[in-house]
């Protein structure tokens, strides 16, 4: 009974903890598969700057500080300031800010026309991204360029929204 206490990491044979072994232990089939896993992988493979990749990731995991999420986290706004800064009609949330707002719909229609995408769009960011990604894949766009236009356009929309929220220059 004079054995020394020790910690063992039984997930891998070497008994050595690593972040990758921990992450792997929580992945499917050991845990539920996240419906965003594939898309998140695509975002990290894009040939864009890291900050735009990180932004894309934040869009898909619903981690941007939109007014609805800030309110949910306890940051209080006057009711009239919950409105979208681009249209002033609907309350701001992720899907409205990037897809449903009348101001951004014009941008997406122009891009759809430019790439030859037929009319009709999904009004959920994840579904919209996948729809455009698959369309471009059928058009034989280079793999590392797939999704770049969507993420870059969303980035520009976010920057415009921030300018209007915080600087009121526009």
């Amino acid at each position: 009974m004079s054995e020394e206490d020790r910690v063992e990491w039984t997930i891998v044979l070497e008994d050595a903890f690593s972040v990758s072994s921990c992450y792997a232990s929580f992945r499917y089939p050991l845990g539920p598969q996240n419906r965003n896993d594939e898309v998140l992988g695509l975002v990290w493979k894009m040939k864009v700057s890291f900050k735009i990749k990180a932004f894309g990731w934040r869009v898909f995991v619903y981690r941007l500080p939109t007014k609805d999420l800030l309110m949910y986290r306890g940051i209080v706004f006057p009711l009239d300031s919950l409105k979208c800064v681009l249209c002033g009609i609907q309350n701001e949330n992720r899907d409205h800010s990037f897809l449903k707002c009348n101001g951004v719909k014009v941008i997406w229609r122009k891009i759809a026309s430019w790439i030859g995408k037929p009319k009709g769009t999904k009004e959920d960011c994840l579904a919209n991204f996948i729809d455009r990604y698959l369309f471009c894949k059928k058009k034989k766009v280079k793999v590392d360029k797939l999704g770049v236009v969507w993420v870059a356009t969303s980035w520009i929309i976010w920057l415009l929204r921030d300018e209007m929220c915080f600087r009121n220059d526009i």
Side-chain angles (χ1 to χ4, degrees), residues 77-88:
F77 292 94
L79 287 178
D80 59 332
S81 70
L82 289 174
K83 301 288 184 204
C84 169
V85 295
L86 299 173
C87 70

Side-chain angles (χ1 to χ4, degrees), residues 17-153:
F17 173 81
S18 70
V19 173
S20 64
S21 67
C22 183
Y23 180 72
S25 73
F26 290 109
R27 302 277 301 173
Y28 184 80
L30 299 173
Q33 189 170 16
N34 184 340
R35 72 182 188 117
N36 299 344
D37 281 351
E38 276 185 57
V39 174
L40 296 177
L42 297 173
V43 169
W44 295 116
K45 292 176 186 170
M46 291 180 197
K47 291 220 174 178
V48 294
S49 71
F50 179 78
K51 68 180 176 182
I52 295 177
K53 288 178 188 183
F55 166 80
W57 178 83
R58 290 178 73 196
V59 168
F60 295 130
V61 297
Y62 221 109
R63 292 293 182 258
L64 288 176
T66 52
K67 292 178 181 178
D68 66 323
L69 282 183
L70 292 172
M71 186 92 157
Y72 175 77
R73 292 178 183 149
I75 297 171
V76 180
F77 292 94
L79 287 178
D80 59 332
S81 70
L82 289 174
K83 301 288 184 204
C84 169
V85 295
L86 299 173
C87 70
I89 299 170
Q90 297 291 322
N91 283 352
E92 181 184 276
N93 64 50
R94 179 193 67 176
D95 293 332
H96 175 80
S97 295
F98 292 108
L99 300 170
K100 297 177 183 178
C101 177
N102 290 332
V104 299
K105 282 183 179 181
V106 173
I107 297 168
W108 290 115
R109 277 195 293 266
K110 293 279 187 191
I111 291 173
S113 170
W114 173 56
I115 64 173
K117 178 148 181 12
K119 301 249 189 254
T121 184
K122 313 275 188 215
E123 290 194 338
D124 167 75
C125 286
L126 183 63
N128 189 282
F129 174 82
I130 292 169
D131 182 47
R132 289 171 189 267
Y133 178 91
L134 293 175
F135 175 79
C136 290
K137 191 172 182 175
K138 279 192 244 174
K139 294 281 190 174
K140 308 246 190 267
V141 173
K142 289 182 182 180
V143 173
D144 59 350
K145 304 290 186 224
L146 290 170
V148 170
V149 171
W150 194 96
V151 174
T153 301

Side-chain angles (χ1 to χ4, degrees), residues 145-164:
K145 304 290 186 224
L146 290 170
V148 170
V149 171
W150 194 96
V151 174
T153 301
S154 297
W155 170 253
I156 297 301
I157 290 168
W158 186 253
L159 292 178
L160 174 65
R161 175 239 180 238
D162 275 0
E163 284 289 319
M164 294 178 75

